[in-house]
Amino acid sequence: MEIIKVKDQQSGSQKAFELIAQGLQNNAHVLGLATGSTPIKLYQEMVKSDLDFSQITSINLDEYIGLDADNPQSYHYFMNQNLFQFKKFKNSYVPNGGTSDIDAEIKNYDQIIADNPIDIQILGIGQNGHIGFNEPKTPFDCTTHRVQLTQSTIEANARFFTDKNDVPKEAISMGIASIMKSKHIILMAWGANKAEAIYQTVKGPISEDCPASILQNHPHATIIVDEAAASKLD
């Protein structure tokens, strides 16, 4: 596990972009992508770059259940607004949270991941150590699955909704086992509210209490943290 400490989110996002660019030069063809506030500046770097993604496949980590792709709060919509409308990808996959058959969608998404092994996986991290929507106590061996979101995650996501009662309570998430198959994992964290989760990820026991701690077992995991998020590592 490589730890890269940076001054702030902007410099950290630039570093993550450089790692992606290097990966593409080394023949990476599949990117695993995340949503939320953490990767926004990374996507801005990707958008303003001259990198060609037209032969690159992207696979997103998760999507809310009950939101169609055109819902402004969906992760489909987020990806279109922040990246896909500006950069053309060969294929872009996001779970279909609006489907009436969640079990079939889960099976389909597992097949997509199997058919497109992820070269570089981008991750954020929740205050409770979740990666994707893999909440604490999620089995490390799980693949794509239906998630009941914890109250802390619902509250953290409420800032994106006009009414907190509108925050979905369930999601489809790529599983931890699927994430761990990625050749290179880049986890980014910004701010003091992520410091404890980063400490547990890097120095705590490998435990389902902190899902991200499994990254200690990954052969090529890079953790990019700003000064505040790294404050408990010293």
Side-chain angles (χ1 to χ4, degrees), residues 72-89:
Q73 301 300 342
S74 75
Y75 287 157
H76 267 95
Y77 190 91
F78 174 97
M79 293 305 305
N80 286 330
Q81 289 294 108
N82 288 284
L83 183 59
F84 297 152
Q85 69 169 318
F86 304 108
K87 288 290 189 179
K88 175 180 173 59
F89 282 71

Side-chain angles (χ1 to χ4, degrees), residues 2-189:
E2 178 188 15
I3 312 300
I4 300 176
K5 298 179 183 179
V6 296
K7 180 180 180 181
D8 52 27
Q9 180 177 359
Q10 184 62 53
S11 53
S13 299
Q14 176 63 36
K15 180 62 181 177
F17 170 77
E18 292 169 1
L19 292 175
I20 290 174
Q22 182 180 2
L24 297 186
Q25 290 177 347
N26 291 330
N27 211 33
H29 283 99
V30 182
L31 300 180
L33 301 180
T35 52
S37 57
T38 298
I40 285 180
K41 291 188 181 297
L42 166 60
Y43 296 154
Q44 291 172 354
E45 293 293 324
M46 293 168 69
V47 167
K48 71 182 184 182
S49 77
D50 58 2
L51 288 183
D52 179 12
F53 295 95
S54 63
Q55 298 305 308
I56 303 301
T57 293
S58 71
I59 304 178
N60 263 74
L61 284 167
D62 42 30
E63 177 61 285
Y64 288 120
I65 288 176
L67 299 187
D68 292 324
D70 59 356
N71 187 302
Q73 301 300 342
S74 75
Y75 287 157
H76 267 95
Y77 190 91
F78 174 97
M79 293 305 305
N80 286 330
Q81 289 294 108
N82 288 284
L83 183 59
F84 297 152
Q85 69 169 318
F86 304 108
K87 288 290 189 179
K88 175 180 173 59
F89 282 71
K90 181 180 179 180
N91 293 296
S92 293
Y93 298 105
V94 183
N96 179 9
T99 181
S100 60
D101 192 339
I102 298 297
D103 290 340
E105 177 62 15
I106 286 170
K107 184 177 181 180
N108 176 63
Y109 214 68
D110 274 337
Q111 190 61 52
I112 288 170
I113 297 166
D115 292 342
N116 300 275
I118 296 170
D119 295 301
I120 303 172
Q121 175 66 61
I122 300 300
L123 295 177
I125 185 171
Q127 294 182 45
N128 61 5
H130 75 237
I131 47 178
F133 270 138
N134 295 290
E135 301 281 19
K137 302 298 186 182
T138 300
F140 285 150
D141 62 356
C142 72
T143 55
T144 306
H145 59 123
R146 185 174 192 150
V147 180
Q148 302 291 325
L149 301 180
T150 65
Q151 190 59 37
S152 64
T153 296
I154 292 169
E155 290 172 358
N157 291 337
R159 66 187 186 278
F160 301 115
F161 292 79
T162 302
D163 185 340
K164 68 179 181 180
N165 292 319
D166 292 336
V167 184
K169 307 299 190 294
E170 293 184 295
I172 299 172
S173 181
M174 186 188 298
I176 294 174
S178 304
I179 291 170
M180 288 292 285
K181 288 181 180 178
S182 306
K183 295 174 186 174
H184 184 193
I185 294 174
I186 302 171
L187 184 148
M188 302 180 292

